[in-house]
Amino acid sequence: MHVTEPSAVTPTELKSTARAMRYLLFIAGMGGLLYGIDVGIIAGALPYLEATASVAWHLSAQQLSFIVAAVLLGSVLSSLFAGALADLIGRRWAMVLAGALFTLSIPLIALADGYTPLLLGRLLQGISGGLIGVVVPLYLAECLHARQRGRGAALFQLLLTIGLVAAALIGLYQAQSVEAVSTAAQALAPEARAEALFAARDHAWRSIFWFCLTPGLIFTLGSLLLAESPRWLARRGDLAQAHQALLRTRPAAEAQAELRDIEQALAPETADSQHASEPLLSRRYVLPFLLACLVLALTQATGINSILAYVVTILNQAGLPGATANMADVGLKVLNAVMTVVAVALVDRKGRKFLLMLGTGGIVLALLSAGLLFRSAEGNQRDVASVLQARVQGDSLSIQLDSATLQALGADAQTDTHAGNAAATGTVAAAPVQQLTLAYSYGPFTNVQSLRSDDPALPVLRLSRAETVQADSVIGAFFRRLHLNPFADPADAASAPLRIEQAHLSPLPSTSHGWQVALAMCLFVASFAVGPGVCVWLALSELMPNRIRSNGMSIALLINQFVSTSIAAVFLPTVGQYGYATLFFYGAGCSLLYFLTAALLLPETRGKTLEEIEAHFAGK
């Protein structure tokens, strides 16, 4: 490529191109910020959404899990057509569409008055995030000069982690607001106190989403002012527009030289591949393809997305109170950003294989530690299912975790001085806070609910058929007409009795126990960031042979998102039935398999050309 002498470029031209480049990187960085907010915003909102929506809209634990998983499902859907859409309408308009969908999702969620609009809004957020995750890196790769691509990719990844931090800070701010209301409401009568807390929690989760509207608008409007990708324009035969797009970020002579390179790359290529007729099931294709799919599936099987989404809830259950858990969440997201920078600095020096082994080894240790900590806490549970089953009247049950109920369930007599009574009397609780976790069913319809004795509102949990059995859906009826039944049939629950499947009463773990779990989560996040967080995407692009790269990467990414969505969708019902320890031990087992895969099957790809990597799998 011909490069102009520095004297040929005027100061005005340099200033103009530098300004355009900074603007391009700023908008692309806002895309990364939105993607991070997309993934992280639910963590701070979920405790308040669960406390209010489950009461006002009678949402089940499964429905709450679906609300969390909807973003991941939307990302799966958009990843199927993001590349084709970007080819059809252009990279710039695909970015505008992604920003518009994100912006539209915010009022849909924040103003939701039921399960369906909330789920639809979260689904739109996921579709937007999936588009951003594909189109923005593609736009950067096609618009940036070769010497700037590494910086552009690193900026997107860094802003993504900063987006996670921003989401955690928003959650922390709202948590402190709710705690202030809770303190001020202690002097109120029980009913007024409950109403004030309900209003504060409802306002908190809606405000958390409203905060996301501004960056969405900036990204959407900012994308409209970007130039289209010069390579997309050239592929459509519009070389004049491609030249104008290049001139916005490059000196004239450099833009002209790069345009010639683009034209040459688009010229018809001769069919010189000796493997053109080789079947896709041959060893050189199947082994790297299956290995890439396994690596991406195991990346999500560690539970990273679900842990980031539920981390505030996890730390609450581990013993950290509301705002403290949110502060720990902020610390985790900051640690994630810092370790991502460390990983970017190390990946080309230490290699992908080494960092993957280091990271997955740390993940195994972290998840085993968290699982053992929760196992020790869950070992103190008292089975009270038979007591509650005896209280069922007319296939319904109302329960409030007051002092009389705690004594009837066999809790320590001192626990009647729980936080609700302490607030009214000014005394301090003399015994650990008690938590009741209840799994129940009406025929095929199941749900999991929990109550805590330190809840200032001290709500009454009412189990009834009307609030548990959802009406038949169009989708469920359609599948039943095909003699398939993936969804519960309301007819089977019409006369089914209320059964208390499981009921466990246990003291809430201490604050020190909560901080121990938080340290395990820190090790988990740091290990993931330094290993799979960066290396998995490099490994994916490097393992796939040239002939199957585009299709192979699409399939592997689809598997990645499917595993992530599945774990998030079953998270709350699973921990309600089997406890947090079970999920952490499962993640540790998957992570151990990941470590063995990296150690025994994955070749080191650092410093090797794509052709050398392909030859390795061909046995040459």
Side-chain angles (χ1 to χ4, degrees), residues 288-349:
F289 169 72
L290 292 179
L291 182 57
C293 289
L294 178 61
V295 166
L296 261 78
L298 290 175
T299 296
Q300 290 303 331
T302 61
I304 179 63
N305 280 349
S306 290
I307 288 176
L308 288 178
Y310 291 104
V311 66
V312 175
T313 302
I314 292 171
L315 294 177
N316 280 155
Q317 295 297 316
L320 292 186
T324 305
N326 287 90
M327 290 179 63
D329 180 35
V330 173
L332 283 171
K333 302 300 170 54
V334 171
L335 177 64
N336 183 40
V338 171
M339 294 308 295
T340 298
V341 175
V342 172
V344 169
L346 291 178
V347 69
D348 283 326
R349 294 172 54 191

Short mmCIF file of all heavy atoms in Angstrom, two decimals, residues 288-349:
data_model
loop_
_atom_site.label_atom_id
_atom_site.label_comp_id
_atom_site.label_asym_id
_atom_site.label_seq_id
_atom_site.Cartn_x
_atom_site.Cartn_y
_atom_site.Cartn_z
N PRO A 288 -11.85 -29.59 14.94
CA PRO A 288 -11.84 -28.21 15.45
C PRO A 288 -13.24 -27.64 15.66
O PRO A 288 -13.45 -26.85 16.59
CB PRO A 288 -11.09 -27.43 14.36
CG PRO A 288 -11.18 -28.27 13.14
CD PRO A 288 -11.22 -29.68 13.62
N PHE A 289 -14.20 -28.04 14.82
CA PHE A 289 -15.57 -27.55 14.99
C PHE A 289 -16.16 -28.03 16.31
O PHE A 289 -16.71 -27.24 17.09
CB PHE A 289 -16.43 -28.02 13.82
CG PHE A 289 -17.91 -27.78 14.02
CD1 PHE A 289 -18.43 -26.49 13.97
CD2 PHE A 289 -18.77 -28.83 14.27
CE1 PHE A 289 -19.79 -26.26 14.17
CE2 PHE A 289 -20.12 -28.61 14.47
CZ PHE A 289 -20.63 -27.32 14.42
N LEU A 290 -16.05 -29.32 16.59
CA LEU A 290 -16.59 -29.87 17.84
C LEU A 290 -15.86 -29.29 19.05
O LEU A 290 -16.48 -29.03 20.10
CB LEU A 290 -16.49 -31.40 17.84
CG LEU A 290 -17.38 -32.13 16.84
CD1 LEU A 290 -17.16 -33.64 16.93
CD2 LEU A 290 -18.85 -31.79 17.08
N LEU A 291 -14.53 -29.09 18.93
CA LEU A 291 -13.77 -28.53 20.04
C LEU A 291 -14.22 -27.10 20.33
O LEU A 291 -14.40 -26.71 21.50
CB LEU A 291 -12.28 -28.57 19.71
CG LEU A 291 -11.33 -28.05 20.81
CD1 LEU A 291 -11.53 -28.83 22.10
CD2 LEU A 291 -9.89 -28.16 20.34
N ALA A 292 -14.44 -26.31 19.28
CA ALA A 292 -14.91 -24.94 19.47
C ALA A 292 -16.29 -24.91 20.11
O ALA A 292 -16.56 -24.11 21.01
CB ALA A 292 -14.93 -24.20 18.13
N CYS A 293 -17.18 -25.80 19.67
CA CYS A 293 -18.53 -25.87 20.26
C CYS A 293 -18.45 -26.27 21.73
O CYS A 293 -19.18 -25.72 22.58
CB CYS A 293 -19.39 -26.87 19.49
SG CYS A 293 -19.88 -26.31 17.84
N LEU A 294 -17.58 -27.22 22.05
CA LEU A 294 -17.42 -27.66 23.44
C LEU A 294 -16.89 -26.52 24.31
O LEU A 294 -17.40 -26.30 25.43
CB LEU A 294 -16.46 -28.85 23.51
CG LEU A 294 -16.15 -29.41 24.90
CD1 LEU A 294 -17.42 -29.93 25.58
CD2 LEU A 294 -15.10 -30.52 24.82
N VAL A 295 -15.90 -25.79 23.82
CA VAL A 295 -15.33 -24.68 24.58
C VAL A 295 -16.39 -23.61 24.85
O VAL A 295 -16.51 -23.11 25.98
CB VAL A 295 -14.13 -24.08 23.83
CG1 VAL A 295 -13.73 -22.73 24.42
CG2 VAL A 295 -12.94 -25.04 23.88
N LEU A 296 -17.19 -23.25 23.85
CA LEU A 296 -18.19 -22.21 24.05
C LEU A 296 -19.32 -22.68 24.97
O LEU A 296 -19.84 -21.90 25.77
CB LEU A 296 -18.75 -21.74 22.71
CG LEU A 296 -18.08 -20.44 22.23
CD1 LEU A 296 -16.70 -20.75 21.65
CD2 LEU A 296 -18.92 -19.71 21.22
N ALA A 297 -19.72 -23.96 24.87
CA ALA A 297 -20.75 -24.49 25.76
C ALA A 297 -20.26 -24.49 27.21
O ALA A 297 -20.99 -24.08 28.13
CB ALA A 297 -21.15 -25.89 25.32
N LEU A 298 -19.02 -24.92 27.43
CA LEU A 298 -18.47 -24.98 28.79
C LEU A 298 -18.26 -23.58 29.36
O LEU A 298 -18.35 -23.38 30.58
CB LEU A 298 -17.16 -25.76 28.79
CG LEU A 298 -17.29 -27.26 28.53
CD1 LEU A 298 -15.92 -27.91 28.43
CD2 LEU A 298 -18.09 -27.93 29.64
N THR A 299 -17.98 -22.60 28.50
CA THR A 299 -17.83 -21.22 28.97
C THR A 299 -19.09 -20.77 29.68
O THR A 299 -19.04 -20.16 30.76
CB THR A 299 -17.51 -20.28 27.79
OG1 THR A 299 -16.24 -20.65 27.24
CG2 THR A 299 -17.45 -18.83 28.25
N GLN A 300 -20.25 -21.04 29.09
CA GLN A 300 -21.51 -20.64 29.72
C GLN A 300 -21.93 -21.60 30.82
O GLN A 300 -22.64 -21.21 31.75
CB GLN A 300 -22.62 -20.53 28.67
CG GLN A 300 -22.44 -19.37 27.72
CD GLN A 300 -22.35 -18.04 28.44
OE1 GLN A 300 -22.92 -17.85 29.50
NE2 GLN A 300 -21.63 -17.09 27.84
N ALA A 301 -21.49 -22.87 30.74
CA ALA A 301 -21.84 -23.84 31.79
C ALA A 301 -21.19 -23.48 33.12
O ALA A 301 -21.63 -23.98 34.17
CB ALA A 301 -21.43 -25.25 31.36
N THR A 302 -20.16 -22.63 33.11
CA THR A 302 -19.61 -22.15 34.39
C THR A 302 -20.65 -21.33 35.15
O THR A 302 -20.51 -21.13 36.36
CB THR A 302 -18.38 -21.27 34.15
OG1 THR A 302 -18.75 -20.12 33.37
CG2 THR A 302 -17.27 -22.03 33.43
N GLY A 303 -21.68 -20.83 34.43
CA GLY A 303 -22.73 -20.04 35.06
C GLY A 303 -22.45 -18.56 35.11
O GLY A 303 -23.13 -17.81 35.83
N ILE A 304 -21.50 -18.07 34.30
CA ILE A 304 -21.06 -16.68 34.40
C ILE A 304 -22.21 -15.69 34.23
O ILE A 304 -22.38 -14.77 35.03
CB ILE A 304 -19.92 -16.40 33.37
CG1 ILE A 304 -19.47 -14.94 33.45
CG2 ILE A 304 -20.35 -16.77 31.96
CD1 ILE A 304 -18.88 -14.53 34.75
N ASN A 305 -23.03 -15.84 33.20
CA ASN A 305 -24.10 -14.87 32.97
C ASN A 305 -25.15 -14.90 34.07
O ASN A 305 -25.66 -13.86 34.50
CB ASN A 305 -24.75 -15.10 31.60
CG ASN A 305 -23.93 -14.52 30.46
OD1 ASN A 305 -22.98 -13.78 30.70
ND2 ASN A 305 -24.27 -14.86 29.24
N SER A 306 -25.50 -16.09 34.53
CA SER A 306 -26.50 -16.20 35.59
C SER A 306 -25.97 -15.64 36.91
O SER A 306 -26.69 -14.96 37.65
CB SER A 306 -26.91 -17.66 35.78
OG SER A 306 -27.65 -18.12 34.68
N ILE A 307 -24.70 -15.89 37.21
CA ILE A 307 -24.13 -15.37 38.45
C ILE A 307 -24.07 -13.85 38.42
O ILE A 307 -24.38 -13.17 39.41
CB ILE A 307 -22.74 -15.99 38.71
CG1 ILE A 307 -22.92 -17.46 39.12
CG2 ILE A 307 -21.97 -15.23 39.78
CD1 ILE A 307 -21.62 -18.21 39.32
N LEU A 308 -23.69 -13.26 37.26
CA LEU A 308 -23.67 -11.81 37.14
C LEU A 308 -25.08 -11.24 37.27
O LEU A 308 -25.28 -10.16 37.82
CB LEU A 308 -23.05 -11.39 35.80
CG LEU A 308 -21.54 -11.59 35.66
CD1 LEU A 308 -21.09 -11.18 34.26
CD2 LEU A 308 -20.77 -10.80 36.71
N ALA A 309 -26.08 -11.96 36.74
CA ALA A 309 -27.47 -11.46 36.80
C ALA A 309 -28.08 -11.60 38.19
O ALA A 309 -28.85 -10.74 38.62
CB ALA A 309 -28.33 -12.21 35.77
N TYR A 310 -27.73 -12.68 38.90
CA TYR A 310 -28.35 -12.96 40.20
C TYR A 310 -27.44 -12.64 41.38
O TYR A 310 -27.76 -13.01 42.51
CB TYR A 310 -28.75 -14.43 40.28
CG TYR A 310 -29.88 -14.85 39.37
CD1 TYR A 310 -29.64 -15.56 38.21
CD2 TYR A 310 -31.20 -14.54 39.68
CE1 TYR A 310 -30.68 -15.96 37.37
CE2 TYR A 310 -32.24 -14.93 38.86
CZ TYR A 310 -31.97 -15.65 37.71
OH TYR A 310 -33.01 -16.03 36.89
N VAL A 311 -26.30 -11.97 41.15
CA VAL A 311 -25.29 -11.86 42.20
C VAL A 311 -25.82 -11.13 43.44
O VAL A 311 -25.49 -11.52 44.58
CB VAL A 311 -24.02 -11.18 41.66
CG1 VAL A 311 -24.27 -9.73 41.26
CG2 VAL A 311 -22.89 -11.26 42.67
N VAL A 312 -26.65 -10.10 43.28
CA VAL A 312 -27.18 -9.41 44.45
C VAL A 312 -28.08 -10.35 45.26
O VAL A 312 -28.01 -10.39 46.50
CB VAL A 312 -27.96 -8.14 44.03
CG1 VAL A 312 -28.61 -7.48 45.25
CG2 VAL A 312 -27.02 -7.15 43.34
N THR A 313 -28.92 -11.11 44.56
CA THR A 313 -29.78 -12.09 45.24
C THR A 313 -28.94 -13.15 45.94
O THR A 313 -29.24 -13.55 47.08
CB THR A 313 -30.72 -12.75 44.21
OG1 THR A 313 -31.50 -11.74 43.57
CG2 THR A 313 -31.65 -13.74 44.88
N ILE A 314 -27.88 -13.63 45.28
CA ILE A 314 -27.00 -14.65 45.88
C ILE A 314 -26.37 -14.12 47.16
O ILE A 314 -26.35 -14.80 48.19
CB ILE A 314 -25.91 -15.07 44.86
CG1 ILE A 314 -26.52 -15.83 43.69
CG2 ILE A 314 -24.85 -15.93 45.55
CD1 ILE A 314 -25.55 -16.09 42.54
N LEU A 315 -25.85 -12.90 47.11
CA LEU A 315 -25.19 -12.33 48.29
C LEU A 315 -26.18 -12.03 49.40
O LEU A 315 -25.84 -12.13 50.59
CB LEU A 315 -24.41 -11.07 47.89
CG LEU A 315 -23.23 -11.31 46.93
CD1 LEU A 315 -22.57 -9.99 46.54
CD2 LEU A 315 -22.20 -12.26 47.56
N ASN A 316 -27.41 -11.64 49.04
CA ASN A 316 -28.47 -11.48 50.06
C ASN A 316 -28.70 -12.79 50.78
O ASN A 316 -28.80 -12.84 52.02
CB ASN A 316 -29.76 -11.02 49.42
CG ASN A 316 -29.80 -9.53 49.13
OD1 ASN A 316 -30.51 -9.07 48.25
ND2 ASN A 316 -29.02 -8.74 49.85
N GLN A 317 -28.80 -13.88 50.03
CA GLN A 317 -29.04 -15.19 50.62
C GLN A 317 -27.83 -15.68 51.42
O GLN A 317 -27.97 -16.46 52.35
CB GLN A 317 -29.36 -16.22 49.53
CG GLN A 317 -30.66 -15.96 48.79
CD GLN A 317 -31.86 -16.04 49.70
OE1 GLN A 317 -31.97 -16.94 50.51
NE2 GLN A 317 -32.77 -15.07 49.59
N ALA A 318 -26.64 -15.19 51.05
CA ALA A 318 -25.43 -15.60 51.76
C ALA A 318 -25.27 -14.89 53.09
O ALA A 318 -24.45 -15.32 53.91
CB ALA A 318 -24.20 -15.34 50.89
N GLY A 319 -26.04 -13.78 53.31
CA GLY A 319 -25.98 -13.09 54.59
C GLY A 319 -25.67 -11.62 54.52
O GLY A 319 -25.69 -10.94 55.55
N LEU A 320 -25.40 -11.07 53.32
CA LEU A 320 -25.14 -9.63 53.21
C LEU A 320 -26.46 -8.89 53.08
O LEU A 320 -27.28 -9.23 52.23
CB LEU A 320 -24.26 -9.34 51.99
CG LEU A 320 -22.82 -9.83 52.03
CD1 LEU A 320 -22.05 -9.33 50.81
CD2 LEU A 320 -22.11 -9.39 53.30
N PRO A 321 -26.68 -7.84 53.88
CA PRO A 321 -27.93 -7.06 53.76
C PRO A 321 -27.97 -6.27 52.46
O PRO A 321 -26.97 -6.12 51.77
CB PRO A 321 -27.88 -6.15 54.99
CG PRO A 321 -26.43 -6.07 55.35
CD PRO A 321 -25.82 -7.37 54.96
N GLY A 322 -29.17 -5.71 52.16
CA GLY A 322 -29.48 -5.08 50.88
C GLY A 322 -28.40 -4.25 50.24
O GLY A 322 -27.77 -4.65 49.26
N ALA A 323 -28.14 -3.03 50.74
CA ALA A 323 -27.19 -2.13 50.10
C ALA A 323 -25.77 -2.67 50.15
O ALA A 323 -24.97 -2.41 49.24
CB ALA A 323 -27.24 -0.75 50.76
N THR A 324 -25.43 -3.44 51.17
CA THR A 324 -24.10 -4.04 51.25
C THR A 324 -23.88 -5.01 50.10
O THR A 324 -22.79 -5.06 49.50
CB THR A 324 -23.91 -4.76 52.59
OG1 THR A 324 -24.19 -3.86 53.66
CG2 THR A 324 -22.50 -5.29 52.74
N ALA A 325 -24.90 -5.80 49.77
CA ALA A 325 -24.81 -6.72 48.64
C ALA A 325 -24.63 -5.95 47.33
O ALA A 325 -23.88 -6.37 46.45
CB ALA A 325 -26.06 -7.61 48.57
N ASN A 326 -25.30 -4.80 47.22
CA ASN A 326 -25.14 -3.99 46.02
C ASN A 326 -23.74 -3.39 45.94
O ASN A 326 -23.17 -3.27 44.84
CB ASN A 326 -26.18 -2.86 45.99
CG ASN A 326 -27.57 -3.37 45.67
OD1 ASN A 326 -28.33 -3.73 46.56
ND2 ASN A 326 -27.91 -3.44 44.39
N MET A 327 -23.16 -3.01 47.07
CA MET A 327 -21.78 -2.51 47.08
C MET A 327 -20.81 -3.60 46.65
O MET A 327 -19.86 -3.35 45.89
CB MET A 327 -21.42 -2.00 48.47
CG MET A 327 -22.12 -0.71 48.87
SD MET A 327 -21.67 -0.17 50.54
CE MET A 327 -19.92 0.12 50.34
N ALA A 328 -21.04 -4.82 47.11
CA ALA A 328 -20.20 -5.93 46.71
C ALA A 328 -20.34 -6.20 45.21
O ALA A 328 -19.37 -6.54 44.53
CB ALA A 328 -20.57 -7.19 47.51
N ASP A 329 -21.57 -6.02 44.68
CA ASP A 329 -21.80 -6.18 43.25
C ASP A 329 -20.97 -5.17 42.46
O ASP A 329 -20.37 -5.50 41.43
CB ASP A 329 -23.30 -6.00 42.96
CG ASP A 329 -23.63 -6.15 41.49
OD1 ASP A 329 -22.98 -6.96 40.81
OD2 ASP A 329 -24.54 -5.45 41.01
N VAL A 330 -20.94 -3.91 42.92
CA VAL A 330 -20.12 -2.89 42.26
C VAL A 330 -18.65 -3.31 42.27
O VAL A 330 -17.95 -3.21 41.25
CB VAL A 330 -20.29 -1.52 42.95
CG1 VAL A 330 -19.31 -0.50 42.37
CG2 VAL A 330 -21.71 -1.02 42.79
N GLY A 331 -18.17 -3.79 43.42
CA GLY A 331 -16.79 -4.24 43.51
C GLY A 331 -16.48 -5.36 42.54
O GLY A 331 -15.41 -5.39 41.90
N LEU A 332 -17.41 -6.30 42.40
CA LEU A 332 -17.22 -7.42 41.46
C LEU A 332 -17.12 -6.92 40.02
O LEU A 332 -16.26 -7.39 39.25
CB LEU A 332 -18.38 -8.41 41.59
CG LEU A 332 -18.37 -9.34 42.79
CD1 LEU A 332 -19.69 -10.09 42.88
CD2 LEU A 332 -17.22 -10.33 42.69
N LYS A 333 -17.98 -5.96 39.65
CA LYS A 333 -17.96 -5.48 38.27
C LYS A 333 -16.70 -4.66 37.99
O LYS A 333 -16.16 -4.72 36.88
CB LYS A 333 -19.23 -4.63 38.02
CG LYS A 333 -20.54 -5.39 38.29
CD LYS A 333 -20.71 -6.60 37.41
CE LYS A 333 -21.88 -7.49 37.82
NZ LYS A 333 -23.18 -6.82 37.92
N VAL A 334 -16.22 -3.90 38.99
CA VAL A 334 -14.95 -3.17 38.82
C VAL A 334 -13.80 -4.16 38.66
O VAL A 334 -12.91 -3.99 37.81
CB VAL A 334 -14.71 -2.22 40.01
CG1 VAL A 334 -13.30 -1.63 39.95
CG2 VAL A 334 -15.75 -1.11 40.04
N LEU A 335 -13.80 -5.20 39.49
CA LEU A 335 -12.77 -6.23 39.39
C LEU A 335 -12.78 -6.88 38.01
O LEU A 335 -11.73 -7.15 37.41
CB LEU A 335 -12.99 -7.29 40.47
CG LEU A 335 -12.04 -8.48 40.48
CD1 LEU A 335 -10.61 -8.02 40.77
CD2 LEU A 335 -12.48 -9.52 41.51
N ASN A 336 -13.98 -7.13 37.48
CA ASN A 336 -14.11 -7.71 36.15
C ASN A 336 -13.46 -6.82 35.10
O ASN A 336 -12.74 -7.29 34.21
CB ASN A 336 -15.59 -7.91 35.83
CG ASN A 336 -15.82 -8.58 34.50
OD1 ASN A 336 -15.09 -9.50 34.12
ND2 ASN A 336 -16.82 -8.13 33.77
N ALA A 337 -13.69 -5.49 35.20
CA ALA A 337 -13.10 -4.55 34.24
C ALA A 337 -11.57 -4.54 34.35
O ALA A 337 -10.86 -4.57 33.33
CB ALA A 337 -13.66 -3.15 34.47
N VAL A 338 -11.05 -4.51 35.58
CA VAL A 338 -9.60 -4.46 35.78
C VAL A 338 -8.94 -5.73 35.25
O VAL A 338 -7.91 -5.68 34.55
CB VAL A 338 -9.28 -4.27 37.28
CG1 VAL A 338 -7.79 -4.44 37.53
CG2 VAL A 338 -9.74 -2.89 37.74
N MET A 339 -9.52 -6.90 35.55
CA MET A 339 -8.92 -8.16 35.12
C MET A 339 -9.04 -8.35 33.60
O MET A 339 -8.23 -9.05 33.00
CB MET A 339 -9.57 -9.33 35.86
CG MET A 339 -9.29 -9.33 37.35
SD MET A 339 -7.54 -9.19 37.78
CE MET A 339 -6.89 -10.72 37.11
N THR A 340 -10.05 -7.73 32.98
CA THR A 340 -10.15 -7.78 31.53
C THR A 340 -8.96 -7.05 30.90
O THR A 340 -8.37 -7.52 29.91
CB THR A 340 -11.46 -7.15 31.04
OG1 THR A 340 -12.56 -7.91 31.57
CG2 THR A 340 -11.55 -7.14 29.53
N VAL A 341 -8.60 -5.90 31.47
CA VAL A 341 -7.42 -5.16 30.98
C VAL A 341 -6.17 -6.01 31.15
O VAL A 341 -5.30 -6.08 30.26
CB VAL A 341 -7.28 -3.82 31.73
CG1 VAL A 341 -5.99 -3.11 31.32
CG2 VAL A 341 -8.47 -2.93 31.45
N VAL A 342 -6.03 -6.69 32.30
CA VAL A 342 -4.88 -7.56 32.55
C VAL A 342 -4.83 -8.68 31.52
O VAL A 342 -3.76 -9.01 30.97
CB VAL A 342 -4.95 -8.14 33.98
CG1 VAL A 342 -3.86 -9.19 34.19
CG2 VAL A 342 -4.81 -7.02 35.01
N ALA A 343 -5.99 -9.29 31.23
CA ALA A 343 -6.04 -10.39 30.27
C ALA A 343 -5.65 -9.94 28.87
O ALA A 343 -4.92 -10.65 28.16
CB ALA A 343 -7.44 -11.01 30.25
N VAL A 344 -6.11 -8.76 28.46
CA VAL A 344 -5.75 -8.23 27.13
C VAL A 344 -4.24 -8.05 27.04
O VAL A 344 -3.63 -8.30 25.99
CB VAL A 344 -6.50 -6.91 26.86
CG1 VAL A 344 -5.96 -6.21 25.62
CG2 VAL A 344 -7.99 -7.18 26.69
N ALA A 345 -3.61 -7.62 28.14
CA ALA A 345 -2.16 -7.42 28.14
C ALA A 345 -1.39 -8.73 28.11
O ALA A 345 -0.26 -8.80 27.58
CB ALA A 345 -1.76 -6.60 29.36
N LEU A 346 -1.99 -9.81 28.66
CA LEU A 346 -1.27 -11.08 28.80
C LEU A 346 -1.52 -12.07 27.67
O LEU A 346 -0.70 -12.97 27.46
CB LEU A 346 -1.64 -11.76 30.13
CG LEU A 346 -1.15 -11.09 31.42
CD1 LEU A 346 -1.65 -11.87 32.62
CD2 LEU A 346 0.37 -11.02 31.44
N VAL A 347 -2.62 -11.93 26.94
CA VAL A 347 -3.05 -13.00 26.05
C VAL A 347 -2.05 -13.27 24.93
O VAL A 347 -1.88 -14.43 24.51
CB VAL A 347 -4.46 -12.69 25.47
CG1 VAL A 347 -4.41 -11.50 24.50
CG2 VAL A 347 -5.04 -13.91 24.80
N ASP A 348 -1.35 -12.25 24.44
CA ASP A 348 -0.37 -12.47 23.38
C ASP A 348 1.02 -12.76 23.93
O ASP A 348 1.93 -13.11 23.18
CB ASP A 348 -0.31 -11.25 22.46
CG ASP A 348 -1.49 -11.21 21.49
OD1 ASP A 348 -1.95 -12.28 21.08
OD2 ASP A 348 -1.96 -10.10 21.18
N ARG A 349 1.18 -12.63 25.25
CA ARG A 349 2.48 -12.93 25.87
C ARG A 349 2.50 -14.34 26.47
O ARG A 349 3.48 -15.06 26.34
CB ARG A 349 2.80 -11.90 26.95
CG ARG A 349 3.02 -10.48 26.41
CD ARG A 349 3.14 -9.47 27.53
NE ARG A 349 4.18 -9.85 28.50
CZ ARG A 349 4.35 -9.26 29.67
NH1 ARG A 349 3.52 -8.30 30.05
NH2 ARG A 349 5.31 -9.65 30.47
#
